[in-house]
Amino acid sequence: MSNVKNPPAWLGVMGGGQLGRMFAHAAQSMGYSVAVLEPSADCPAGQAANRLINADYSDAAGLDALAAQCVAVTTEFENVPADSLSRLAQSVFVAPDAHGVSVAQDRIAEKGFFVASAAKSGVMPAPHKVIATDADIDAISDDLLPGILKTVRMGYDGKGQVRVKSRDDVRAAFDGMGKVTCLLEKMLPLAYEVSVLTARGADGASVVYPIAENVHRDGILFTTTVPGPNITADCARKAQAAAQAIVAELGYVGVLCIEFFVLADGSLVVNEMAPRPHNSGHYTIDACVTSQFAQQVRAMAGLPLGDVRQHSPAVMLNILGDIWYEGEGDDVREPAWNKVLALPGANLHLYGKEEPRRARKMGHLTFVAPTLVEAQQHLNAACAILGIEA
Ligand code: ATP
Ligand code: MG
């Protein structure tokens, strides 16, 4: 295979967050060097990278420096401008490419793609309507309410979303968002939520990790449990098949995660996809043969995809900045990691973020154990130590 990029070559990452940091760790452990392009000077990925190129995501000189240094470039940040990926692709292998990323970063393009590929994937997105003008609000059909108004771009962790019950609510929310183009989605009765992590190589080979069950709190991922306690074998099969159809249809190369809703009747609805490793895939670091970050390295370097087998049941808990504070006060203290790490099967991952802001993802904990029940018990004990309501 001539397109194999062997270590000790340089791999590039667009974005300096925690996903880039964990990617750097995985790439370096395989002998690669890592260059990160990111505008902020102190960032989680920059601390781990061999080189940090401090530049805006669309800065031509910065992009050219990244392309010149690296044999392949990936992205850890969903909102990286697609034009930047296209520019990079003129001189270096880029995975995922501008097409896949541009579909995933625009909710209208994403929903349209899900509808267009439904015949192959077997799943549809939630009923929805584009809200670009006040007239669009007048034309909303009753069965889309109650719903959720979501900005088309730049939404994450529940930001850029407002729950609405009536047309007047939609009007107020649309005004509140400065009348940027939004998507109104029907509010569905979710039984539970799952995500499917996949990876596809440039040769078209693809793998799917075990289905993860996710619990969100205040719009932010709270826990991921694998295997999911509610997932039926039939649901898992359908979700995995849908995910593989979706990445093939996109012609995607790299790691991609798709979020699904499971409704009370067991039916699957596709929510959104992330063109990169995903928070719900962090458990793979400690519980799978190949982590999602090592998998991204393999996919972009033209290496065979790794074994996705899970060797231990796992529960992942996101660590938000809130636990550095006692109550509503401003005093900051370090959580009692010594007590948490005394629990069996605890794996602590902190992202090197200096300032523990509330609702900011500071790290995660993954508990692995011989049985899921034990992993959950140890996670509950950690929650008690950290002052998190389990
Ligand atoms: P992420 O952090 O995953 O990028 P996001 O801000 O892009 O999140 P979504 O994934 O669209 O937003 O929604 C966040 C959460 O809100 C979902 O995981 C789900 O719990 C809830 N939600 C979103 N859309 C719907 C819907 N149509 N019906 C019911 N619940 C929904
Ligand atoms: Mg989501």
Side-chain angles (χ1 to χ4, degrees), residues 75 77-80 82 96-114 151-155 246 250 252 255-258 271-276:
T75 177
F77 171 57
E78 183 161 337
N79 291 314
V80 62
D97 66 9
H99 171 64
V101 173
S102 65
V103 172
Q105 67 189 192
D106 180 308
R107 287 194 201 273
I108 297 175
E110 187 178 49
K111 289 275 192 294
F113 167 76
F114 286 145
T151 56
V152 166
R153 292 185 157 269
M154 299 288 183
I246 284 168
L250 259 189
Y252 189 89
V255 172
L256 180 138
C257 185
I258 308 179
N271 176 30
E272 60 172 358
M273 57 187 175
R276 51 170 173 74

Side-chain angles (χ1 to χ4, degrees), residues 315-359:
V315 193
M316 189 275 323
L317 171 76
N318 266 336
I319 303 291
L320 304 183
D322 303 63
I323 64 166
W324 271 256
Y325 299 90
E326 208 149 8
E328 303 296 308
D330 288 337
D331 293 345
V332 172
R333 51 165 171 77
E334 197 62 24
W337 302 126
N338 55 330
K339 292 185 185 153
V340 171
L341 290 172
L343 296 166
N347 294 277
L348 177 64
H349 301 261
L350 291 175
Y351 306 147
K353 297 182 186 178
E354 194 107 327
E355 197 197 335
R357 288 199 296 271
R358 290 174 207 273

Side-chain angles (χ1 to χ4, degrees), residues 1 3-7 30 32 201-203 294-295 297-306:
M1 277 206 292
N3 58 349
V4 172
K5 282 114 184 146
N6 277 310
M30 291 167 73
Y32 292 95
D203 60 358
Q295 203 68 276
V297 171
R298 286 167 175 255
M300 72 192 285
L303 297 168
L305 296 177

Side-chain angles (χ1 to χ4, degrees), residues 24-356:
H25 293 154
Q28 288 163 343
S29 77
M30 291 167 73
Y32 292 95
S33 291
V34 174
V36 164
L37 186 148
E38 153 74 35
S40 58
D42 184 26
C43 57
Q47 293 167 6
N50 302 78
R51 179 180 175 196
L52 172 61
I53 299 171
N54 258 147
D56 192 80
Y57 299 124
S58 47
D59 179 75
L63 292 168
D64 293 349
L66 187 69
Q69 179 121 50
C70 298
V71 295
V73 175
T74 190
T75 177
E76 65 103 48
F77 171 57
E78 183 161 337
N79 291 314
V80 62
D83 286 349
S84 298
L85 298 179
S86 300
R87 182 182 181 104
L88 288 166
Q90 288 170 6
S91 56
V92 65
F93 182 67
V94 177
D97 66 9
H99 171 64
V101 173
S102 65
V103 172
Q105 67 189 192
D106 180 308
R107 287 194 201 273
I108 297 175
E110 187 178 49
K111 289 275 192 294
F113 167 76
F114 286 145
V115 171
S117 52
K120 292 200 168 121
S121 70
V123 289
M124 280 287 283
H128 58 276
K129 179 182 182 349
V130 176
I131 305 291
T133 65
D134 292 316
D136 292 329
I137 300 176
D138 300 330
I140 292 169
S141 78
D142 289 336
D143 60 41
L144 280 182
L145 295 168
I148 306 186
L149 192 70
K150 301 181 179 181
T151 56
V152 166
R153 292 185 157 269
M154 299 288 183
Y156 71 100
D157 288 349
K159 294 188 175 72
Q161 294 196 8
V162 181
R163 300 191 169 210
V164 288
K165 289 207 176 78
S166 64
R167 269 186 196 72
D168 284 343
D169 285 356
V170 179
R171 259 182 216 104
F174 185 55
D175 287 348
M177 290 175 181
K179 300 201 183 203
V180 295
T181 305
C182 287
L183 206 75
L184 175 66
E185 245 179 77
K186 183 182 174 70
M187 177 77 83
L188 299 173
L190 313 187
Y192 57 99
E193 297 185 58
V194 299
S195 56
V196 183
L197 188 64
T198 71
R200 185 168 177 275
D203 60 358
S206 67
V207 291
V208 191
Y209 283 86
I211 313 288
E213 190 168 324
N214 301 317
V215 175
H216 293 81
R217 205 173 261 189
D218 301 325
I220 304 175
L221 183 65
F222 177 58
T223 57
T224 294
T225 303
V226 194
N230 291 300
I231 301 167
T232 62
D234 181 52
C235 171
R237 236 187 340 266
K238 281 189 185 138
Q240 288 185 318
Q244 278 187 302
I246 284 168
V247 287
E249 204 54 21
L250 259 189
Y252 189 89
V253 177
V255 172
L256 180 138
C257 185
I258 308 179
E259 298 177 5
F260 294 91
F261 300 142
V262 184
L263 307 186
D265 65 0
S267 59
L268 275 171
V269 172
V270 60
N271 176 30
E272 60 172 358
M273 57 187 175
R276 51 170 173 74
H278 191 256
N279 196 166
S280 68
H282 290 354
Y283 82 94
T284 61
I285 299 174
D286 302 300
C288 293
V289 176
T290 310
S291 79
Q292 61 172 345
F293 300 102
Q295 203 68 276
Q296 184 78 309
V297 171
R298 286 167 175 255
M300 72 192 285
L303 297 168
L305 296 177
D307 188 352
V308 294
R309 189 170 57 82
Q310 183 181 6
H311 48 68
S312 302
V315 193
M316 189 275 323
L317 171 76
N318 266 336
I319 303 291
L320 304 183
D322 303 63
I323 64 166
W324 271 256
Y325 299 90
E326 208 149 8
E328 303 296 308
D330 288 337
D331 293 345
V332 172
R333 51 165 171 77
E334 197 62 24
W337 302 126
N338 55 330
K339 292 185 185 153
V340 171
L341 290 172
L343 296 166
N347 294 277
L348 177 64
H349 301 261
L350 291 175
Y351 306 147
K353 297 182 186 178
E354 194 107 327
E355 197 197 335

